[in-house]
Amino acid sequence: MPMAIWEQILWGVFAVMMGGALLSGVAVVVAATSEQRKYSRERRIGKILGSAGVAAQGTVTQVRRSEHQLTGPGSHGQRMVALELTLQMLPPSPVPTVVLRTLIDELLLPRLAVPGATIHLMQDPVHPSVVSVDRQRTPLEVPPARG
């Protein structure tokens, strides 16, 4: 028994709508993954630099949230906020300013995400504009209570 023309049209509309929903979902996943990489890159740079990095300090001059208000879980389940910090580098750094994208525990925002805050860094000796937070001297997460 052949389908009526209106049933064929209905199935065609359904197929187009489902295809659009699928493409939208893929686009959201790609955009979220891309933005997450931007803000987790700093931690990977720190691991790569290791002890080869040069100790440096920067003073926060400007703070911006990530474009899509990105947050994520920290290593202890806490909420981490993606921020872009513009840092005025202190001498003897060969570059005057750097932009640092990183994730910071929301409990530390009042201390670190304000103009004038000092951030301890590790700087790439070959590419001085590439920096990572020295987490030994400027922790970005509040450790859990032991008890």
Side-chain angles (χ1 to χ4, degrees):
M1 151 190 225
M3 275 199 280
I5 190 76
W6 65 269
E7 288 177 326
Q8 291 176 357
I9 292 171
L10 219 59
W11 279 109
V13 169
F14 177 73
V16 168
M17 289 176 63
M18 293 311 294
L22 180 63
L23 285 176
S24 296
V26 168
V28 166
V29 168
V30 167
T33 302
S34 173
E35 187 167 7
Q36 179 69 28
R37 277 193 196 121
K38 275 196 267 184
Y39 291 90
S40 60
R41 181 175 177 258
E42 176 270 329
R43 181 176 218 116
R44 288 191 308 273
I45 289 171
K47 288 179 181 175
I48 292 167
L49 283 177
S51 61
V54 176
Q57 288 185 25
T59 302
V60 176
T61 59
Q62 190 173 22
V63 179
R64 289 189 209 99
R65 285 188 176 270
S66 72
E67 181 180 355
H68 297 102
Q69 306 292 317
L70 180 69
T71 61
S75 61
H76 309 294
Q78 75 277 36
R79 184 171 174 240
M80 303 291 283
V81 179
L83 296 176
E84 181 178 288
L85 306 174
T86 303
L87 302 172
Q88 177 71 44
M89 298 300 289
L90 301 177
S93 175
V95 292
T97 61
V98 296
V99 174
L100 177 71
R101 290 183 181 101
T102 193
L103 297 162
I104 299 176
D105 189 327
E106 68 180 342
L107 294 176
L108 293 174
L109 295 178
R111 186 171 77 87
L112 299 174
V114 293
T118 299
I119 308 285
H120 293 86
L121 307 163
M122 293 304 285
Q123 194 169 33
D124 187 330
V126 178
H127 305 285
S129 62
V130 176
V131 296
S132 176
V133 176
D134 181 347
R135 285 169 169 73
Q136 297 299 317
R137 297 173 47 206
T138 303
L140 297 183
E141 296 183 53
V142 174
R146 311 245 181 224

